[in-house]
Amino acid sequence: MGRLLRELAPNCGVYHVTCRGNDKQQIFNCSSDYQKFIEILSHTKEKRPFKLYHYALMPNHYHLHIECTAESKLPTIMKIINHRYSMFHKTKYHRFGRLWEDRYWSELIKDEYHAAMCGPYIELNPVRAGFVSKPDDWQWSSYESYLNKTRSPEDIDPHYFLDGNYENELREYLAIIKAFSLVPGTKPLFCTRYQNTP
């Protein structure tokens, strides 16, 4: 049976995207691997512009919350990101065969609730996996950028939900993160992809 068609917005859209290493193997083995992936994100944004709102890089998978444009569609963006990192990883570790378990998984974000919960779901991923006790202890996610109100081209873009009073809305976002952090096992988004995989 052929692959199911991926749900894509007709022109541009906001997506939750994730991809895991083949056979659940680690795709990030050290700090320089994580940093290389972030560099690839930045380089891809320059070549095929898109907005990156949230991310979390885990040892054997990653999560992205991105918005595409009519000029830079999701399949093109993801092909560049996954191909470039795969080539880097294979060269560095002298590996053969595929790095990724399958093609990336994506979910089109259709409503405000889904959009609001996507960031907390992604940034709390390291906490749910048991790697850290709070999200700001995980270096390889976008949470610190919101916490410290920093923005840089290789990091995250101004979030589309922060379009009113920035300070108030940012405070509300951080409160959402804190609320879910205080309740072990609570998931802020109904996403089951890799949720039980560290």
Side-chain angles (χ1 to χ4, degrees):
M1 184 176 73
R3 287 178 172 178
L4 295 176
L5 293 177
R6 191 183 299 280
E7 183 178 18
L8 298 173
N11 293 313
C12 58
V14 181
Y15 299 90
H16 175 195
V17 182
T18 185
C19 195
R20 183 168 64 183
N22 188 34
D23 199 28
K24 301 181 182 180
Q25 68 178 348
Q26 287 199 181
I27 56 175
F28 304 112
N29 297 310
C30 60
S31 295
S32 61
D33 291 350
Y34 288 102
Q35 188 58 49
K36 182 63 177 181
F37 191 88
I38 293 173
E39 290 173 7
I40 289 172
L41 285 177
S42 179
H43 181 267
T44 305
K45 286 177 67 178
E46 292 176 3
K47 300 297 182 181
R48 301 285 183 178
F50 65 92
K51 292 183 178 181
L52 175 64
Y53 298 125
H54 302 275
Y55 69 85
L57 309 184
M58 306 294 287
N60 71 355
H61 68 283
Y62 65 79
H63 291 268
L64 306 176
H65 183 191
I66 66 177
E67 181 173 1
C68 307
T69 65
E71 295 76 24
S72 301
K73 297 183 184 297
L74 185 65
T76 301
I77 293 168
M78 296 310 303
K79 180 178 180 180
I80 294 172
I81 292 171
N82 279 355
H83 175 72
R84 290 198 65 194
Y85 186 76
S86 176
M87 295 304 295
F88 159 79
H89 193 277
K90 289 179 181 179
T91 300
K92 180 177 179 178
Y93 295 104
H94 309 287
R95 285 181 45 84
F96 297 93
R98 65 183 187 181
L99 175 65
W100 306 110
E101 178 180 71
D102 201 354
R103 61 176 180 167
Y104 66 92
W105 174 88
S106 66
E107 182 176 24
L108 179 63
I109 295 175
K110 300 178 180 179
D111 56 60
E112 290 185 4
Y113 175 78
H114 197 170
M117 293 298 102
C118 190
Y121 176 86
I122 289 174
E123 291 171 356
L124 287 171
N125 206 256
V127 177
R128 289 194 307 276
F131 292 122
V132 291
S133 59
K134 55 185 188 298
D136 41 317
D137 287 338
W138 188 253
Q139 182 180 358
W140 309 109
S141 82
S142 51
Y143 181 71
E144 188 175 355
S145 296
Y146 286 99
L147 185 65
N148 297 324
K149 306 173 188 177
T150 58
R151 296 284 162 79
S152 57
E154 67 275 13
D155 200 10
I156 59 170
D157 293 285
H159 206 299
Y160 55 89
F161 70 70
L162 298 175
D163 57 359
N165 184 311
Y166 179 83
E167 292 296 331
N168 287 342
E169 292 180 337
L170 182 58
R171 191 178 302 112
E172 290 178 6
Y173 176 73
L174 295 177
I176 292 173
I177 291 280
K178 183 178 181 180
F180 283 112
S181 297
L182 294 175
V183 184
T186 302
K187 298 179 177 64
L189 180 64
F190 303 110
C191 171
T192 58
R193 187 70 163 187
Y194 312 151
Q195 69 179 15
N196 296 318
T197 303

